[in-house]
Amino acid sequence: MDFDLSPEMTALQQSVRRLSQEKIKPRAREIDATGEYPEDVFDAFRDADLLGLSIPTELGGSGAGILGLSLAIEEVAKYSNVCALMLLLTRLPVGPVLIAGSDDQKKRYLPGIATGELRAAFGLSEPQAGSDVAGMRTRATPESGAGSRTRSVTGSGSEGGWVLNGTKCWMSGVREADWYTVFAKTGDPVSRDHGGITAFIVERGWEGVSVPRTDHKMGVRGVDTGELVLDDVHVPAENVIGEVGGFRLAMLGLNAMRPIVAARGIGLAEGALMYATEYVKGREAFGGTISDLQGVRWEIAKIAVDIEAARLLTYRAAWLADQGKFTKEYVPFLSSAKYFATELAVRASGLAVQLLGAAGYMTDHPTELWYRDARQLTIVEGTSQVQLDLIARGVLAHHLWWD
Ligand SMILES: Cc1cc2nc3c(=O)[nH]c(=O)nc-3n(C[C@H](O)[C@H](O)[C@H](O)COP(=O)(O)OP(=O)(O)OC[C@H]3O[C@@H](n4cnc5c(N)ncnc54)[C@H](O)[C@@H]3O)c2cc1C
């Protein structure tokens, strides 16, 4: 057993740490206040070759894998969870294509993500179907008649395929994306059979694709979430990801994402605890400082222990995912990381607000921003309750067992 990061991973961690301190930290408050997409941060990520971390080298990425991306996100999330989300979006919609996409899809859609020429988003949720994915109503019906109306951003066009209709919601990065990984029902629309759900690559520029509205959010402001409406969108057969009825792909993609989301939680918790610790060390009270008080010290210690526990869970989860171990039997290990680290982010940012007292509640300090940002982490990509259910299933099936 070896707990050390490789020299390459340590170098990546150090360089993203510097970039985050120099470029992200000074921008975080302004990005939240304006809610505007930080193009300058995207450029900085591109210039530092961070957009292709989890994309293999043969597709133009740096091949640092899920561990590399998680480490980078942890560093960025110390200062800005929305900038961490920008990095996360280099993998979330890409995952299904990497896992089951054709060589042609990989060549057309992935190198552009690594270079920053293309951006993508992930459409699973619908207004009436979040955790209950089988309740989705977006439909894909086989195309009839002559000729497809689609022409790809990458220049190719094709005959035949599918016609998609429906509305996806709360989609992160929906406005900036050039293409979307979208899930739709190809089987009986009222059936709850997962086998009737299929993944497609849909391009923003295609006829019938629109983004009519974005949401007013409590946190992670700067990267919009919003609606994607698909109105008779013709999708060529070659843009089906994996096989028709391959819903399992959505779960595999999300399983592999668990450490990446967890890293957003860890970074946020680290940033919040470090900030609050420095504050209480300088805050004079009762003839000493707030950091002298045992009740305060114990709270700091408890979060510090949990941060280290979350890192171990998350790095192991990333290590598993990088070996392709994100199928059902690994779910409890992957989901434990997401559950623990994101719940920790909420507790750590709550403690940070508390330790700063009134100051922590004011926008003069980043604590209230971290607190708002943390709340979404226990909801996105499978809520905490859904993760607990998945973990319990793994224990019941002895996938997580100690005998
Ligand atoms: C900021 C943000 C960004 C997002 N980005 C994306 C995106 O890019 N793409 C995308 O597709 N979606 C995205 N989402 C949506 C997100 O994935 C869903 O919100 C999430 O899956 C939960 O679905 P829901 O909101 O419909 O809650 P519901 O499914 O309605 O759940 C409501 C409550 O019931 C609980 N619950 C549900 N099922 C169970 C169960 N089996 N056992 C116990 N409790 C349960 C939940 O934990 C929750 O507390 C985003 C959401 C947010 C807030």
Side-chain angles (χ1 to χ4, degrees):
M1 185 177 272
D2 183 356
F3 285 98
D4 285 330
L5 293 173
S6 68
E8 294 78 21
M9 289 294 166
T10 306
L12 172 67
Q13 186 184 48
Q14 295 298 327
S15 72
V16 183
R17 186 169 295 171
R18 280 194 301 278
L19 181 143
S20 303
Q21 287 165 351
E22 287 163 17
K23 301 231 159 78
I24 311 281
K25 186 179 175 187
R27 285 280 281 125
R29 176 55 77 181
E30 192 185 358
I31 295 169
D32 173 70
T34 63
E36 284 166 18
Y37 186 87
E39 232 18 278
D40 58 319
V41 173
F42 185 83
D43 291 348
F45 286 157
R46 186 199 53 218
D47 295 347
D49 272 340
L50 299 181
L51 299 173
L53 283 173
S54 73
I55 294 177
T57 47
E58 60 273 22
L59 292 169
S62 55
I66 288 171
L67 178 61
L69 181 56
S70 301
L71 290 170
I73 285 179
E74 180 182 346
E75 293 305 321
V76 173
K78 286 177 183 172
Y79 303 107
S80 166
N81 225 267
V82 76
C83 295
L85 171 62
M86 290 163 73
L87 282 186
L88 177 143
L89 287 173
T90 64
R91 170 72 199 206
L92 177 61
V94 162
V97 183
L98 273 178
I99 293 167
S102 65
D103 285 347
D104 174 60
Q105 288 169 355
K106 289 177 187 169
K107 282 189 199 129
R108 281 197 288 143
Y109 292 103
L110 303 194
I113 298 288
T115 58
E117 282 158 78
L118 296 176
R119 293 173 224 200
F122 182 81
L124 187 60
S125 304
E126 296 186 6
Q128 74 298 326
S131 309
D132 180 18
V133 175
M136 76 169 59
R137 293 185 189 155
T138 296
R139 282 200 70 185
T141 46
E143 194 170 51
S144 57
S148 155
R149 285 185 282 158
T150 55
R151 183 146 293 275
S152 160
V153 278
T154 50
S156 71
S158 84
E159 298 290 313
W162 298 82
V163 181
L164 266 63
N165 279 289
T167 300
K168 295 290 171 183
C169 67
W170 306 314
M171 196 193 278
S172 300
V174 64
R175 239 178 18 177
E176 289 77 28
D178 300 287
W179 60 267
Y180 306 94
T181 292
V182 169
F183 293 84
K185 278 196 170 162
T186 37
D188 177 357
V190 291
S191 163
R192 298 188 52 79
D193 175 15
H194 283 165
I197 295 174
T198 301
F200 297 86
I201 298 174
V202 173
E203 296 188 10
R204 173 68 194 266
W206 287 348
E207 205 176 321
V209 178
S210 63
V211 178
R213 60 177 293 274
T214 53
D215 303 303
H216 295 284
K217 285 187 292 184
M218 162 180 179
V220 284
R221 290 161 44 75
V223 172
D224 281 315
T225 72
E227 254 178 29
L228 180 76
V229 171
L230 305 165
D231 180 14
D232 275 341
V233 178
H234 291 248
V235 179
E238 73 225 23
N239 275 33
V240 171
I241 309 174
E243 59 195 44
V244 173
F247 170 72
R248 190 169 153 266
L249 186 54
M251 289 322 298
L252 289 177
L254 287 172
N255 290 346
M257 283 299 298
R258 304 299 186 214
I260 298 172
V261 194
R264 291 176 75 190
I266 300 172
L268 193 153
E270 290 168 357
L273 187 65
M274 290 192 291
Y275 193 90
T277 302
E278 291 307 296
Y279 181 88
V280 293
K281 274 162 68 182
R283 175 79 174 164
E284 290 180 10
F286 310 109
T289 69
I290 294 287
S291 65
D292 296 330
L293 305 171
Q294 191 179 50
V296 167
R297 298 165 79 96
W298 285 6
E299 294 309 314
I300 290 172
K302 283 191 265 183
I303 294 291
V305 171
D306 284 352
I307 286 173
E308 286 305 291
R311 294 177 91 198
L312 290 172
L313 281 171
T314 300
Y315 294 175
R316 180 182 64 177
W319 172 78
L320 285 170
D322 274 333
Q323 296 172 69
K325 293 179 176 170
F326 44 77
T327 44
K328 200 162 80 181
E329 55 275 38
Y330 298 102
V331 161
F333 302 100
L334 303 165
S335 286
S336 296
K338 197 274 177 181
Y339 166 73
F340 192 77
T342 56
E343 287 288 333
L344 167 63
V346 175
R347 273 187 287 123
S349 56
L351 177 69
V353 171
Q354 193 68 17
L355 290 185
L356 267 72
Y361 197 73
M362 307 300 165
T363 56
D364 305 331
H365 295 273
T367 38
E368 61 82 34
L369 168 57
W370 285 325
Y371 189 61
R372 285 186 285 114
D373 280 358
R375 281 312 282 116
Q376 57 106 30
L377 292 173
T378 59
I379 297 171
V380 294
E381 295 186 42
T383 65
S384 288
Q385 290 72 27
V386 166
Q387 302 306 328
L388 287 174
D389 191 56
L390 292 169
I391 295 163
R393 280 192 221 182
V395 176
L396 292 167
H398 288 203
H399 294 146
L400 177 55
W401 201 246
W402 304 269
D403 187 16

